[in-house]
Amino acid sequence: MTTDLDSEQLLYMFRTMVTIREFEEAAGRMAEQARIPGAVHLYAGEEAVAVGVCSHLEATDTIASTHRGHGHCIAKGGDVKLMLAELLGKSSGYCRGKGGSMHIADLDLGILGANGIVGGGPPIAVGAAFAAQYQGTGGVSVCFSGDGSTNEGTWHESLNFAALFDLPAVFVIENNHWGEFTPQEKQGSITQLSDRAAAYGIPGFTVDGQDVLAVHQAAGEAVARARTGNGPTLLECDTYRFYNHTGRSEGDPRPEEERAAWRERDPLTILCGVLEERAILSGESADRITEEVQREIEEAITFAEEAPYPELSELLTDIYS
Amino acid sequence: MTTDLDSEQLLYMFRTMVTIREFEEAAGRMAEQARIPGAVHLYAGEEAVAVGVCSHLEATDTIASTHRGHGHCIAKGGDVKLMLAELLGKSSGYCRGKGGSMHIADLDLGILGANGIVGGGPPIAVGAAFAAQYQGTGGVSVCFSGDGSTNEGTWHESLNFAALFDLPAVFVIENNHWGEFTPQEKQGSITQLSDRAAAYGIPGFTVDGQDVLAVHQAAGEAVARARTGNGPTLLECDTYRFYNHTGRSEGDPRPEEERAAWRERDPLTILCGVLEERAILSGESADRITEEVQREIEEAITFAEEAPYPELSELLTDIYS
Amino acid sequence: MTTVTTEVTTDREISYREAINEAIHQEMTSDDSVFVAGIDLAKQGDVFGITQGVLTKFGPKRIMDTPISENAITGLAIGAATQGLRPVISLMFIDFIGVCFDQIINQMAKMKYMFGGKARLPLTVLVNAGAGTGMAAQHSQSLEALLCHIPGLKVVMPSTAYDAKGLMVTSMREDNPVFMIMHKRCSRLRGPVPEESYTVPLGSAAVVREGTDATIVATAYMVHEALAAAETLAGEGISVEVVDPRSLQPLDTETVLESVRKTHRVLTVHEAVEFGGIGGEINAQIAEHAFDHLDAPPMRIGAPFSPVPYSPVLEKEWVVNSDQIIEQTRRLVSG
Amino acid sequence: MTTVTTEVTTDREISYREAINEAIHQEMTSDDSVFVAGIDLAKQGDVFGITQGVLTKFGPKRIMDTPISENAITGLAIGAATQGLRPVISLMFIDFIGVCFDQIINQMAKMKYMFGGKARLPLTVLVNAGAGTGMAAQHSQSLEALLCHIPGLKVVMPSTAYDAKGLMVTSMREDNPVFMIMHKRCSRLRGPVPEESYTVPLGSAAVVREGTDATIVATAYMVHEALAAAETLAGEGISVEVVDPRSLQPLDTETVLESVRKTHRVLTVHEAVEFGGIGGEINAQIAEHAFDHLDAPPMRIGAPFSPVPYSPVLEKEWVVNSDQIIEQTRRLVSG
Ligand SMILES: Cc1ncc(C[n+]2csc(CCOP(=O)(O)OP(=O)(O)O)c2C)c(N)n1
Ligand SMILES: Cc1ncc(C[n+]2csc(CCOP(=O)(O)OP(=O)(O)O)c2C)c(N)n1
Ligand SMILES: [Mg+2]
Ligand SMILES: [Mg+2]
């Protein structure tokens, strides 16, 4: 695949994907050790989607995320220190400890929040897209949704709404083929979810969600379409989560062969291969990057663990402006 | 158009359509005279849809209707006396006066009720379809929806659900091109709503909703598909309401030319033409039928007006079984 | 909050509906970030007439007709509010909050808190409540109690044209989600309303009639029924004070308690179903905080525990009216 | 309804969750028209474990995994119930009632009434409530008050394994929609549960501890907090009676009033946000109907007016606990 990306950009994308992976490995470990109080839904395996899409976004662009939101947050520029502190319920966290994994947000970076409600995000993404259009900011609103969530009515209402008003929005389906413990084929009777674009008269595409360059290219077209006033696009990314629905919990019902096959298609390995082929990265420097990122995550863990819990007086603040 | 219908059936359909028309004219008049307390949404102009579809249904089949439900009710065998008594809030009415126009139901006839909530009916239709499948009754569940209602999330969830489980359901869109005072093109960006079938992997068709024989034929295929275990169909019927959103109220925002053009395509006239052409009906006997129906409606009005109001003690009955 | 007894000095009378319409016009004039969205709001000016003239005056950018997609409409308001706009949306009938209730209770209400305070949601949601118009069970409810139980929302429910305008202005200037609950039977009621813009603070009840023998706390259209009852009762020598909370979330408990401490007897009246209605909350607060001042059990009137019936005879029986208020007040003062 | 003080004579102890599971198994065995539907209920046996073993025992016809489409799931139950089936559906977290609230309040609750009685809706909706598990604002609420305000619904909220089974059986045999609200922190609590099928009537409260100085009315997990508090208070010479309404709609007011007439003091406790919670309704009824028996103001404890916070320190502060109950009861009896 040819691409407009220079080596600096490619390395940045690689590093961001590694950051997501290492963040999730750490979060998974900490959840297992009960150091994180709530549920964490790990994004490991799906890194190419968030990074490929967000590589086109500025701080003035917004994203609406899901319960599986860490990857989106990091790809959009989120700070792993503040994220980990939030996972631990600390006052230095993104939400001062009030939100946790399912509600991490950073409005300054255009991150409109993870969301504990499946299908909760799309209507909000519509609102952000409308604001960009109304204010003429040139901003684009990206909505990430799981395959399972496309069967919620809110998703449908949002696509129709965005299509009707030519809103600057991109609806990304992260099709990891499972919703909790139920496979996609038991949630709907079509296999290619981008076919749903036809219901709204907008373009729909399916790309290999393990290949960040493929995602980057398709997302680039979709973002450009939105930015130039040509309305929303539905972009389905074929991907897979490497862990069970929450954390790295036991009892993953997905067939072992299926899991193994997808592990073969690790987005990090795929990108690494491209970078090596183009002599942008050697195996050695990839390891160095991974180690650097690991150190960064270790520092974030230390930061998070040392951070104070909120004061009890904060219980009743932040409800109203 | 060729058809499997014999003259008796054709005459029955004609008579049913006339009954709907005359019922609506009467209801419209009575609403204007404030003899009906609540809102009535008139079906006049759309008769061919209800009659064409319901001509395939038995009492064991069910329909879920809308706020514009009188036509569905009559086409499914509803009794105009009980309907009119209900419109007047009388205890002899279908719902003992507790429901009114937007909630007329007759479970014995498989009429699961008009519905005051746009998009309220489709999920319920899914349940009836499931019951037919579960119980192996061979029954079919038909869901009527307006064009506007197809932008409610419930509609989408219901189609996906029915498609996934191959439920014996037919989703009929009555595309009258307006939702309240807003035209279809301001409610979504596709023109042919049956295209939405692709989102669920089910067949979708659009037919001339003013031609009862066209509706009959398409609905026949859809009902047969459902009955034989082949799952749901989306059937869009192109039609038009002859009056304003509620009653015959003033201030219809629809362009005069548009209204006139559709008046030209009166489903009664169209069917009448076919019947005359086939020598099944003369102009004279058509008039006779209309007069008979008018007498029937007059009798129903008398029945309804003479019927008693509910006792005050009935206020608190019928809430729980 | 202190008691605000509304004293209006203007000869100009307009209706409740016109008052809200005027508030929208004035706020839209002074603030470009206000926009309005909902079903049939623009061209048609709303089925209740609330947005008449807005399209003509402000153009299609500022007011939009939407598809019948209340989740998208509500999300539109939430998402746009996070980006600095000040949306006003309508959900038409309060009964329709059901179709987008997740966006209301789990998104709109909680976003600020879940994000640790880093969101501002200056948005107003218009809804119409109330029975008595023959619209049956799905178009006649008074569901304010459902909204008042959700931290993060504010809820106002004016009874007069004056309060309608003032509360609408305040709501539109609030940096929080506010539900403006309009009562259908208040819609055409006329009253003095100054032309210039003014605010009525949220969380401030109004003593709409002073009295000494009993307090009636009443909301929305019930304020008018209570005032009618008070008039009749005055003829019998019973002096009734009528308190209209005007905003239910926040609720001005202090003004209610003050009145009860004076009259020693209280009857709370709302049109909503009595069980689980806001009257339970109000009376529980009174019982807890003014117990020693009560000379009789705190009483309540709300609708009986049934859906709203269609038939005019049943609907009339269902809706709380001044006769019931008179009867119960008599019991209250003789108890 | 008369007071039913549960006396169980069995040595067999199982958990609350297992008790509900057993009820489902038994009812499915005895009645073919029962089927179960919801997200991850069949193969996975529910994320809360409520439907473990059902698929194996009854096969895929009787229990189905559904798409993530709560409106369709709820409509499935309504439509199928009109046709004579007895659906049991799960909405997982009670927080998710928001996504299908119209189907709940405007369809399921009102259908029978709107149709003049000509519908029977024998269906049960399972939902899980409660904080204290680190699941944050959208997965921790106690929203029972919203459901109790809607005529046409019934609402049960058991606190023990015994009641869980008995109420589940009753709910599944009811010809009306019943919400079975399970509390997450009750889920693993064990208690004596007879193996054979039995019912606990709706609308019948249980006096779970007898006492003379004060009544604590508590729901769901708060029953256990109240019992712990009562134990401590007994050591201080304060004799507390604890009443668990068990079903909130219908509510057995009579048993509550009887207890209050005996103890003359009452504290109502629930985990839900206090403002607008069911405690307001209960205390308003007590204040109105047992006024002359009260020796102190009727008190309430519910959660503070905020969304449920995530941080363990804040969540612990948010959730009502026995310390608060002890403190308020001391105030109550000294007042
Ligand atoms: C309204 C709602 N229903 C159900 C759930 C429970 N739930 C959480 S994640 C999930 C699966 C979502 O699947 P998908 O959209 O494919 O996202 P993925 O987890 O695969 O990333 C479900 C059912 C929820 N959080 N919200
Ligand atoms: C949830 C909900 N939103 C809005 C309304 C108000 N409303 C009643 S009918 C209607 C238009 C429906 O349009 P369509 O589905 O095309 O049906 P038609 O009236 O054209 O037959 C609207 C918006 C409603 N009843 N329910
Ligand atoms: Mg998925
Ligand atoms: Mg229409």
Side-chain angles (χ1 to χ4, degrees):
Chain A
M1 172 167 296
T2 60
T3 144
D4 57 335
L5 292 161
D6 61 28
S7 33
E8 200 185 330
Q9 288 167 313
L10 287 166
L11 281 171
Y12 178 78
M13 283 164 72
F14 178 69
R15 191 188 189 95
T16 308
M17 286 167 64
V18 173
T19 306
I20 296 174
R21 176 67 53 87
E22 294 300 328
F23 184 93
E24 295 299 56
E25 294 293 345
R29 250 182 346 258
M30 292 169 79
E32 265 169 20
Q33 298 159 353
R35 285 152 78 193
I36 294 176
V40 292
H41 302 85
L42 303 179
Y43 197 72
E46 309 188 9
E47 292 87 349
V49 180
V51 172
V53 171
C54 291
S55 61
H56 298 284
L57 305 183
E58 319 283 325
T60 45
D61 297 322
T62 57
I63 61 168
S65 169
T66 67
H67 57 287
R68 196 175 302 289
H70 304 164
H72 310 136
C73 188
I74 292 172
K76 190 70 170 50
D79 183 327
V80 291
K81 278 198 175 69
L82 307 188
M83 289 173 70
L84 266 171
E86 188 59 35
L87 292 190
L88 266 52
K90 298 301 184 71
S91 78
S92 324
Y94 258 125
C95 313
R96 306 189 194 184
K98 286 177 176 167
S101 169
M102 282 194 284
H103 306 294
I104 293 178
D106 184 340
L107 293 186
D108 294 334
L109 291 177
I111 301 167
L112 301 184
N115 209 309
I117 301 294
V118 170
I124 298 169
V126 164
F130 174 81
Q133 187 186 65
Y134 186 92
Q135 296 166 325
T137 63
V140 171
S141 165
V142 172
C143 179
F144 292 100
S145 302
D147 49 310
S149 83
T150 68
N151 300 315
E152 288 282 13
T154 51
W155 185 85
H156 164 78
E157 293 186 21
S158 301
L159 266 87
N160 182 64
F161 205 103
L164 174 62
F165 296 108
D166 287 324
L167 297 185
V170 179
F171 293 91
V172 177
I173 301 177
E174 302 184 308
N175 188 349
N176 62 13
H177 304 286
W178 290 77
E180 283 191 358
F181 308 101
T182 301
Q184 188 201 340
E185 64 268 23
K186 299 225 158 177
Q187 307 219 16
S189 48
I190 62 170
T191 46
Q192 188 156 300
L193 294 173
S194 61
D195 289 351
R196 291 193 166 168
Y200 315 105
I202 61 172
F205 306 98
T206 299
V207 294
D208 178 357
Q210 303 310 85
D211 177 353
V212 71
L213 300 183
V215 175
H216 173 82
Q217 176 160 333
E221 288 163 18
V223 169
R225 199 174 294 121
R227 229 185 266 298
T228 52
N230 293 303
T233 302
L234 178 58
L235 179 61
E236 176 187 21
C237 302
D238 214 30
T239 186
Y240 204 71
R241 57 174 154 77
F242 282 175
Y243 293 116
N244 204 350
H245 175 60
T246 41
R248 308 192 297 191
S249 57
E250 298 296 301
D252 192 331
R254 300 174 303 169
E256 187 48 49
E257 321 78 76
E258 181 180 303
R259 284 194 272 167
W262 279 97
R263 278 263 178 202
E264 287 297 300
R265 305 209 63 251
D266 187 325
L268 295 188
T269 320
I270 292 173
L271 177 57
C272 216
V274 174
L275 295 185
E276 284 178 15
E277 202 180 287
R278 297 200 199 165
I280 292 169
L281 196 70
S282 65
E284 207 178 292
S285 46
D287 290 347
R288 211 191 45 244
I289 290 174
T290 304
E291 280 158 30
E292 276 172 29
V293 167
Q294 282 170 344
R295 263 200 305 283
E296 199 190 327
I297 301 290
E298 280 310 317
E299 282 166 28
I301 294 175
T302 310
F303 170 84
E305 300 216 306
E306 289 175 357
Y309 281 111
E311 300 292 325
L312 296 188
S313 62
E314 290 178 51
L315 180 63
L316 294 178
T317 58
D318 299 328
I319 306 165
Y320 295 103
S321 295
Chain B
M1 172 164 298
T2 61
T3 144
D4 57 335
L5 293 160
D6 61 27
S7 34
E8 200 185 329
Q9 288 169 312
L10 287 166
L11 281 171
Y12 178 77
M13 283 164 74
F14 178 69
R15 191 187 188 95
T16 309
M17 285 167 64
V18 173
T19 306
I20 296 175
R21 175 67 53 87
E22 294 299 328
F23 184 93
E24 295 300 56
E25 295 293 346
R29 250 183 345 259
M30 292 169 79
E32 264 168 22
Q33 298 159 352
R35 285 153 77 193
I36 294 176
V40 291
H41 302 85
L42 303 179
Y43 198 72
E46 309 188 7
E47 292 87 350
V49 180
V51 172
V53 171
C54 292
S55 61
H56 298 283
L57 305 183
E58 320 283 326
T60 46
D61 298 322
T62 57
I63 61 167
S65 170
T66 67
H67 57 287
R68 198 176 301 289
H70 303 164
H72 311 136
C73 189
I74 292 172
K76 190 71 171 45
D79 183 329
V80 291
K81 278 198 175 70
L82 306 187
M83 289 174 69
L84 266 172
E86 188 58 35
L87 292 190
L88 267 52
K90 297 301 185 70
S91 80
S92 325
Y94 257 125
C95 313
R96 306 190 193 183
K98 286 177 175 167
S101 169
M102 283 195 282
H103 306 295
I104 293 178
D106 185 340
L107 293 186
D108 294 333
L109 291 178
I111 300 168
L112 301 184
N115 209 309
I117 301 294
V118 170
I124 298 169
V126 164
F130 175 81
Q133 188 186 64
Y134 186 93
Q135 297 165 325
T137 62
V140 171
S141 164
V142 172
C143 179
F144 291 100
S145 302
D147 48 310
S149 83
T150 68
N151 301 315
E152 288 282 14
T154 51
W155 185 85
H156 163 78
E157 293 186 20
S158 302
L159 266 87
N160 182 64
F161 205 103
L164 173 63
F165 296 109
D166 287 323
L167 297 185
V170 179
F171 293 92
V172 177
I173 301 176
E174 301 184 309
N175 188 350
N176 63 13
H177 304 286
W178 290 77
E180 282 190 359
F181 308 101
T182 301
Q184 189 201 337
E185 64 268 24
K186 300 224 159 179
Q187 308 219 16
S189 49
I190 62 170
T191 45
Q192 187 156 300
L193 293 174
S194 61
D195 290 350
R196 291 194 165 166
Y200 314 105
I202 61 172
F205 306 98
T206 300
V207 293
D208 178 358
Q210 304 309 87
D211 177 354
V212 71
L213 299 183
V215 175
H216 174 81
Q217 177 161 330
E221 288 162 18
V223 168
R225 198 173 293 122
R227 230 186 264 298
T228 52
N230 294 303
T233 302
L234 179 59
L235 179 60
E236 177 187 20
C237 302
D238 215 30
T239 185
Y240 204 71
R241 56 173 156 76
F242 282 175
Y243 292 117
N244 204 349
H245 174 61
T246 41
R248 306 193 296 190
S249 56
E250 297 296 301
D252 194 331
R254 300 175 303 170
E256 188 47 49
E257 321 80 74
E258 179 181 302
R259 284 194 272 167
W262 279 97
R263 280 262 178 203
E264 286 297 300
R265 306 210 61 250
D266 187 324
L268 296 189
T269 321
I270 293 174
L271 178 57
C272 216
V274 174
L275 296 184
E276 285 179 14
E277 202 179 286
R278 299 199 197 166
I280 292 170
L281 195 70
S282 67
E284 209 178 291
S285 47
D287 289 348
R288 211 189 46 245
I289 290 174
T290 303
E291 279 157 31
E292 277 171 30
V293 167
Q294 281 170 344
R295 264 200 304 282
E296 199 191 325
I297 300 291
E298 279 312 315
E299 283 166 27
I301 293 174
T302 310
F303 170 84
E305 300 216 306
E306 289 174 357
Y309 281 112
E311 301 292 325
L312 296 188
S313 63
E314 290 177 50
L315 180 63
L316 294 178
T317 59
D318 300 328
I319 306 165
Y320 295 103
S321 295
Chain C
M1 280 290 155
T2 55
T3 307
V4 178
T5 305
T6 308
E7 285 185 39
V8 193
T9 50
T10 177
D11 288 343
R12 181 169 166 273
E13 294 222 331
I14 61 174
S15 74
Y16 179 97
R17 174 168 81 177
E18 288 159 350
I20 298 173
N21 180 272
E22 188 167 276
I24 295 173
H25 275 269
Q26 291 178 347
E27 288 303 297
M28 287 185 78
T29 304
S30 61
D31 188 344
D32 273 358
S33 61
V34 176
F35 79 95
V36 181
I39 298 166
D40 286 318
L41 288 192
K43 272 217 160 160
Q44 196 68 16
D46 178 43
V47 295
F48 294 96
I50 291 299
T51 51
Q52 292 293 340
V54 173
L55 178 63
T56 324
K57 181 138 161 226
F58 298 97
K61 185 184 170 182
R62 303 289 301 281
I63 183 163
M64 68 201 289
D65 285 325
T66 65
I68 313 172
S69 308
E70 286 85 356
N71 285 292
I73 297 168
T74 310
L76 176 79
I78 299 169
T82 66
Q83 303 304 301
L85 298 186
R86 307 188 75 84
V88 175
I89 57 168
S90 167
L91 299 175
M92 304 182 83
F93 291 82
I94 196 171
D95 314 72
F96 302 168
I97 60 174
V99 298
C100 52
F101 205 54
D102 177 72
Q103 289 289 316
I104 295 169
I105 69 166
N106 287 327
Q107 314 295 337
M108 180 194 291
K110 298 180 174 37
M111 186 180 263
K112 184 181 187 70
Y113 192 80
M114 294 188 306
F115 294 0
K118 286 176 218 130
R120 251 180 3 129
L121 291 179
L123 66 90
T124 307
V125 184
L126 299 166
V127 285
N128 293 272
T133 63
M135 292 294 283
Q138 294 174 337
H139 287 74
S140 302
Q141 295 167 88
S142 290
L143 296 176
E144 62 278 5
L146 306 186
L147 300 166
C148 293
H149 187 43
I150 306 296
L153 302 180
K154 296 195 173 187
V155 181
V156 302
M157 205 170 180
S159 66
T160 66
Y162 180 88
D163 287 346
K165 178 168 173 183
L167 287 169
M168 186 65 195
V169 170
T170 313
S171 301
M172 290 177 73
R173 294 188 191 166
E174 268 276 327
D175 280 345
N176 298 296
V178 184
F179 277 75
M180 158 61 76
I181 305 180
M182 302 172 283
H183 194 285
K184 287 171 213 136
R185 283 184 295 152
C186 290
S187 174
R188 289 198 166 76
L189 297 182
R190 301 173 70 81
V193 175
E195 190 155 359
E196 62 274 18
S197 186
Y198 61 91
T199 60
V200 169
L202 304 195
S204 119
V207 177
V208 293
R209 179 183 173 114
E210 300 206 10
T212 53
D213 298 333
T215 298
I216 298 180
V217 181
T219 60
Y221 193 75
M222 289 303 129
V223 173
H224 304 289
E225 296 284 353
L227 287 171
E231 199 56 37
T232 303
L233 290 162
E236 303 176 12
I238 300 172
S239 164
V240 169
E241 178 145 310
V242 179
V243 180
D244 175 359
R246 303 196 289 192
S247 114
L248 299 175
Q249 189 58 267
L251 178 70
D252 178 5
T253 310
E254 202 30 62
T255 297
V256 172
L257 291 177
E258 211 173 278
S259 176
V260 172
R261 282 188 216 110
K262 184 175 84 174
T263 64
H264 310 297
R265 288 166 205 269
V266 66
L267 170 67
T268 299
V269 187
H270 54 60
E271 188 182 308
V273 162
E274 183 170 307
F275 192 103
I278 196 72
E281 177 62 31
I282 293 172
N283 279 19
Q285 289 199 29
I286 293 169
E288 183 159 356
H289 302 300
F291 188 73
D292 293 335
H293 298 272
L294 286 172
D295 288 345
M299 292 172 67
R300 276 188 298 165
I301 312 179
F305 201 64
S306 85
V308 184
Y310 169 72
S311 180
V313 296
L314 295 180
E315 191 188 30
K316 190 154 175 289
E317 181 73 5
W318 188 88
V319 177
V320 177
N321 61 34
S322 58
D323 288 346
Q324 287 167 274
I325 299 174
I326 291 167
E327 198 188 307
Q328 294 301 314
T329 308
R330 284 193 198 123
R331 276 190 52 206
L332 178 69
V333 296
S334 70
Chain D
M1 282 289 156
T2 56
T3 306
V4 178
T5 304
T6 308
E7 285 184 38
V8 193
T9 50
T10 176
D11 288 342
R12 180 167 167 275
E13 295 222 332
I14 62 174
S15 73
Y16 179 97
R17 173 168 80 178
E18 288 160 348
I20 298 173
N21 180 273
E22 189 167 275
I24 295 173
H25 275 269
Q26 292 178 347
E27 287 303 298
M28 288 185 79
T29 304
S30 61
D31 188 343
D32 274 356
S33 62
V34 176
F35 78 95
V36 182
I39 297 166
D40 286 317
L41 288 192
K43 272 216 159 162
Q44 196 68 16
D46 179 42
V47 295
F48 293 97
I50 292 298
T51 51
Q52 291 292 339
V54 174
L55 178 63
T56 324
K57 180 139 162 228
F58 298 98
K61 186 184 170 183
R62 303 288 300 283
I63 183 163
M64 68 203 287
D65 286 323
T66 65
I68 314 171
S69 308
E70 287 83 357
N71 285 292
I73 297 168
T74 310
L76 175 78
I78 300 169
T82 65
Q83 303 305 301
L85 299 185
R86 306 188 76 83
V88 175
I89 57 168
S90 167
L91 299 175
M92 303 183 82
F93 291 81
I94 196 172
D95 313 71
F96 303 168
I97 59 173
V99 298
C100 51
F101 205 55
D102 177 72
Q103 288 289 317
I104 295 169
I105 69 168
N106 287 328
Q107 312 296 336
M108 180 194 292
K110 298 181 173 38
M111 187 180 263
K112 184 180 187 72
Y113 192 80
M114 293 189 305
F115 293 0
K118 285 176 219 132
R120 251 177 5 128
L121 291 179
L123 66 90
T124 306
V125 184
L126 299 166
V127 285
N128 293 272
T133 62
M135 292 294 285
Q138 293 174 338
H139 288 73
S140 302
Q141 294 168 89
S142 289
L143 296 176
E144 63 278 5
L146 305 187
L147 299 166
C148 293
H149 188 43
I150 306 297
L153 303 180
K154 296 195 174 187
V155 181
V156 302
M157 206 171 178
S159 66
T160 66
Y162 181 88
D163 287 347
K165 179 168 173 183
L167 288 170
M168 186 65 195
V169 171
T170 313
S171 300
M172 290 177 73
R173 294 187 190 166
E174 268 276 326
D175 280 345
N176 298 296
V178 185
F179 276 76
M180 157 61 75
I181 306 180
M182 302 172 284
H183 194 285
K184 286 170 214 139
R185 282 185 295 153
C186 291
S187 174
R188 290 201 164 76
L189 297 183
R190 301 173 70 80
V193 175
E195 191 155 1
E196 63 272 19
S197 186
Y198 60 92
T199 60
V200 169
L202 305 195
S204 118
V207 177
V208 292
R209 180 184 173 114
E210 300 206 12
T212 52
D213 298 334
T215 298
I216 298 180
V217 181
T219 60
Y221 192 74
M222 289 302 128
V223 174
H224 304 289
E225 297 284 351
L227 287 171
E231 200 55 38
T232 303
L233 290 162
E236 301 175 12
I238 301 172
S239 165
V240 170
E241 178 146 309
V242 179
V243 180
D244 175 359
R246 302 196 289 192
S247 114
L248 299 175
Q249 189 59 267
L251 178 71
D252 177 4
T253 310
E254 203 31 63
T255 298
V256 172
L257 291 177
E258 213 173 277
S259 176
V260 173
R261 283 188 215 111
K262 184 175 83 175
T263 65
H264 310 296
R265 288 167 205 268
V266 66
L267 171 67
T268 298
V269 186
H270 54 59
E271 188 182 309
V273 162
E274 183 170 308
F275 193 103
I278 196 71
E281 177 61 32
I282 293 173
N283 279 19
Q285 290 200 29
I286 293 169
E288 183 160 356
H289 302 299
F291 186 74
D292 293 335
H293 298 274
L294 286 172
D295 288 345
M299 291 171 68
R300 275 189 298 164
I301 311 179
F305 200 65
S306 85
V308 184
Y310 169 73
S311 181
V313 297
L314 295 180
E315 192 189 28
K316 188 153 176 290
E317 182 72 5
W318 188 88
V319 177
V320 177
N321 61 34
S322 59
D323 288 346
Q324 286 167 275
I325 300 175
I326 290 166
E327 198 188 307
Q328 295 301 313
T329 309
R330 283 192 199 124
R331 275 188 54 204
L332 178 69
V333 296
S334 70

